[in-house]
Structure formats: C-alpha cells, structure tokens
Amino acid sequence: MKKLLGLAIATAFAGVAFANAPAGSPAPAFTVTDLAGKPVNLADYKGKTVVLEWHNFGCPFVQKHYKSGNMQALQKKYGSDVVWLAVNSTNKSHGDYTAPQKLTKELKDANAAPAKYLMDEPGTMGVAYGAKTTPHMYIIDPSGKVVYNGAIDDKRSTSVDDVKGAKNYVVAALDEMKAGKPVSTASTTPYGCTIKYK
C-alpha cells in the first residue's frame, strides 16, 4: 500500500509544469562529467541529434523499461544516428544515489548502451532542462533546438507488460526526424519517479 501511494504521488507530481527547456527552445548548454570523471559538454555534439534520458535504476518506472529491454533496444537501434546520453541528477545524500563505479557495473549487467552516462549530482543540468522525473526524455536536433520534451510513452505504469503496445513518443519523433519531417508530438507530460535534487 505504501509503495502504491508513493508511486501515485510520483505520478501525480509528474504533471507539474516543466518549462525550462520547452520544445522549440534552444537546448541549455551543460558541462557535467561521465562515469570516468571526464567532462562532457553539449557543444561536443554540435551538429548531431542528441537524446537525453533522465535515469535512476532505483525507480520502478525506469526498471520497467530496462527489465523489458525496451530502453537498451532503443539505445542500440538509434545509436548510429543519434547521441544517446543518460543523465543522473540524484543528490549524493539520497538513498537512490549510486556511485559511478557501481553504476558502471549495473549498466553492463543491464546490457545498456547509452553513448555516455552523465553524473549531474549537483542537479545543475536537470534544473536547467526542467527535468522532473525518471525517465524524462528530451530530443535535441542538430541545430541545437529542443524538438521533444516529455514522457517516453503513453503507458503511465510500472508494468513491464505495458511496454508492448505503448505509443513510444521518442521512437515516433526520431523516425519523423529521420524522414525529414517535423516532430508531430513535441511535448507530453513525463511520468515516473521524482528526481531527488539537492
């Protein structure tokens, strides 16, 4: 019951407005570090399509997409066309925080394949984008403009069974971009666990 209540609260919070990086606006610049401690800047990927995936393995909504293999499949499917960056903005004092070394192992065990995994422990990048949940997805086009901001799909649940048959907004947007079309659904309300900022 307690778990269900927590999930309900997390899902409800996901409806809060997120206007920091709305679709159509320039993507906020960022400098964070990867799991090896090396700096990563958005400017490193100028001229490329970038996907940002806010992530936390402790979140049941994230687990849904990794236990089903959905997120890893997308990272691999689009890996040659886009730069897929997973981002963790959990603060160090929270129980959900995972150190880079352990995260490296968890990603390997999950067979995950983001181009980079970014540590945003101060939360600066997350706040700049207005990221509210895990997962919360953004797509940045080669000109540096946010063209999608929102949920990964339309099934707001933690059930692995719901992945199949869901409308995946990220897939739709990336496929439209590849076909030279504008993104028809550029903004949705993200769902998931609240990000544990400082």
Side-chain angles (χ1 to χ4, degrees):
M1 182 66 182
K2 201 170 183 180
K3 186 177 179 182
L4 287 175
L5 180 61
L7 291 177
I9 291 171
T11 304
F13 187 80
V16 174
F18 49 98
N20 298 32
S25 69
F30 60 78
T31 300
V32 289
T33 55
D34 64 13
L35 290 172
K38 295 180 180 176
V40 178
N41 304 286
L42 178 60
D44 297 339
Y45 305 112
K46 186 177 180 182
K48 297 181 179 178
T49 297
V50 175
V51 173
L52 300 178
E53 169 206 342
W54 257 266
H55 179 273
N56 169 16
F57 270 130
C59 171
F61 293 92
V62 171
Q63 292 170 9
K64 162 189 168 184
H65 290 285
Y66 278 88
K67 286 181 177 176
S68 65
N70 181 50
M71 199 68 84
Q72 302 94 313
L74 298 181
Q75 292 163 350
K76 290 171 185 171
K77 177 180 178 182
Y78 295 101
S80 60
D81 298 324
V82 309
V83 179
W84 192 294
L85 302 175
V87 187
N88 192 321
S89 298
T90 307
N91 79 80
K92 279 185 180 175
S93 64
H94 196 278
D96 277 357
Y97 176 80
T98 306
Q101 188 175 9
K102 185 177 178 185
L103 267 172
T104 300
K105 182 179 185 311
E106 290 181 345
L107 289 164
K108 184 178 179 183
D109 291 346
N111 202 24
K116 296 273 186 183
Y117 192 100
L118 309 182
M119 297 300 291
D120 177 40
E121 189 274 336
T124 309
M125 179 180 171
V127 170
Y129 277 80
K132 299 293 183 189
T133 63
T134 54
H136 189 157
M137 309 297 295
Y138 295 80
I139 301 174
I140 302 167
D141 75 4
S143 75
K145 184 175 71 177
V146 176
V147 294
Y148 179 74
N149 173 344
I152 185 168
D153 64 24
D154 65 347
K155 298 289 187 183
R156 304 168 65 85
S157 81
T158 59
S159 173
V160 170
D161 293 339
D162 284 342
V163 170
K164 191 176 181 180
K167 177 179 180 180
N168 192 302
Y169 298 119
V170 174
V171 168
L174 291 175
D175 287 350
E176 287 174 336
M177 292 173 72
K178 192 170 184 179
K181 299 177 181 177
V183 175
S184 56
T185 301
S187 182
T188 62
T189 301
Y191 71 87
C193 305
T194 55
I195 295 174
K196 283 71 178 180
Y197 289 115
K198 280 185 176 175

